[in-house]
Amino acid sequence: MSVTVRVPAKVNVQLAVGPARPDGFHDLANVFLAVSLYDEVTVTPADELRVTCEGPDADLVPLDRTNLAARAAEALAGRYGRSPDVHVHIAKDIPVAGGMAGGSADGAAALVACDALWETGASRDELLAICAELGSDVPFSLVGGAALGIGRGEQLTPLEAGGAFHWVFAMADRGLSTPAVFREFDRLGEGTDIPEPVASQELLAALAKGDPDALAAAVSNDLQSAALSLHPELAGTLATGRAAGALAALVSGSGPTTAFLVRDPESAAAVAQALVSSGTCRTVRTASGPTPGATVAGL
C-alpha cells in the first residue's frame, strides 16, 4: 500500500517583517495564497526511512534526514511510538529554493501521507502543531487557500478570497537561501526603526472582493530589497513583467522567484511570453489561486 498527497506552492501577497527577535526569528504578518503549482509526495512501507526525488532541479533536494518530508515522518512516528520506516518519494514541480515553500510543502504532504498510511487518526490541530515544529511555512502548506500567518508565520487565520487570482512566476537562474535573505534584511535595516508587522486592511479587503486591481495596489514584500541586494538581476525580471502588462510585480517570499499578478489567463500568457523572450529568467510558469492545501490524491 502507498499513499500519494498533492500539495500546492504559495505566494506571499503581503510579507511584513518585524525586527529580529532575541531567538533570531522575526515576527511576520504574512498573507499567503496557495497557487496551482504542485508537488506530489508518495509514502510506501519500507525497511528504513529513505527519500527519493524526481522533477526539475531534483538534484538540489537533500535526500537525508534534513529533508522536511523525512523530518515529518520522524515527528509523526515519534508521537505514536512507531518506527518511521517509509520510502518517501517526491515528484517536484514547485521551484526548488524559489521562495514558494516547496520544501515546506513536501513536509506537510509527507505528514498527511504518513498519517493516512499508518492510520494514526491524528487530529487537525495535532498535525498543525507538528507542522509548526517543522518550519514557519509548513502549517500553511497543510491548510492552503488564503490565510494570514503571524508569529513566525505559523499562527494561521483563514482568509476569505472572493475569486481566483491569476499569476505568472519567473524562476531565476540560481536559488537564494532564506536565512541569507533575512540576514541581509537585518543588515540593510541596521540602525533604523523597523515597525511591528501588521496586515494591510486594504489588501485583505481586495482579497475578499476578488479584485485583482485593488490587490495589485496593495501587495508588498519587506524582504524584496534584501533579495534584490543579493540577486540584483531580479530587477530586470521585475521590470520586464511590469512592461508586459502585469498589474503588480514582486519577489515571492525570500526569492528568487518573481511573481506577477495579472488580470486573466490571456494576460498571463502575454506576460509569460514576454518574460521568456527577454532572457531575464530561466523558466516561466502560470498558475492561479487560491487552491486547497495538502490533499490525499491516491491510495
Side-chain angles (χ1 to χ4, degrees), residues 5-11 34-41 53-58 60-61 90-109 140-141 169 171 252 257 282-283 285 287 291-294:
V5 170
R6 188 171 82 152
V7 63
K10 61 83 179 167
V11 62
V35 295
S36 57
L37 296 176
Y38 302 97
D39 282 0
E40 287 194 345
V41 175
C53 185
E54 64 175 324
D57 296 325
L60 302 178
V61 176
I90 302 168
K92 291 294 298 180
D93 199 33
I94 300 172
V96 178
M100 298 186 76
S104 296
D106 297 340
F140 179 71
S141 296
F169 297 100
M171 288 54 166
S252 178
T257 298
R282 181 164 56 92
T283 56
R285 302 290 301 279
T291 189

Side-chain angles (χ1 to χ4, degrees), residues 97-135:
M100 298 186 76
S104 296
D106 297 340
L111 187 62
V112 171
C114 288
D115 175 58
L117 180 71
W118 297 333
E119 298 180 336
T120 57
S123 69
R124 188 76 159 176
D125 286 346
E126 187 175 2
L127 293 177
L128 282 169
I130 297 172
C131 286
E133 293 168 6
L134 294 171

Side-chain angles (χ1 to χ4, degrees), residues 200-285:
S200 161
Q201 293 306 306
E202 292 80 9
L203 183 138
L204 298 184
L207 198 60
K209 289 177 184 174
D211 184 339
D213 293 287
L215 187 66
V219 295
S220 65
N221 180 2
D222 287 354
L223 291 181
Q224 181 159 311
S225 294
L228 288 171
S229 176
L230 296 174
H231 200 325
E233 302 92 329
L234 297 178
T237 313
L238 292 169
T240 297
R242 289 191 199 98
L247 300 176
L250 72 162
V251 172
S252 178
S254 59
T257 298
T258 45
F260 303 89
L261 178 62
V262 296
R263 194 176 308 283
D264 50 38
E266 293 74 26
S267 302
V271 170
Q273 182 56 51
L275 287 163
V276 169
S277 300
S278 73
T280 61
C281 57
R282 181 164 56 92
T283 56
V284 174
R285 302 290 301 279

Side-chain angles (χ1 to χ4, degrees), residues 42-46 48-53 84-90:
T42 300
V43 298
T44 307
E48 62 181 1
L49 175 61
R50 65 188 182 98
V51 180
T52 56
C53 185
D85 295 335
V86 286
H87 171 203
V88 180
H89 182 69
I90 302 168

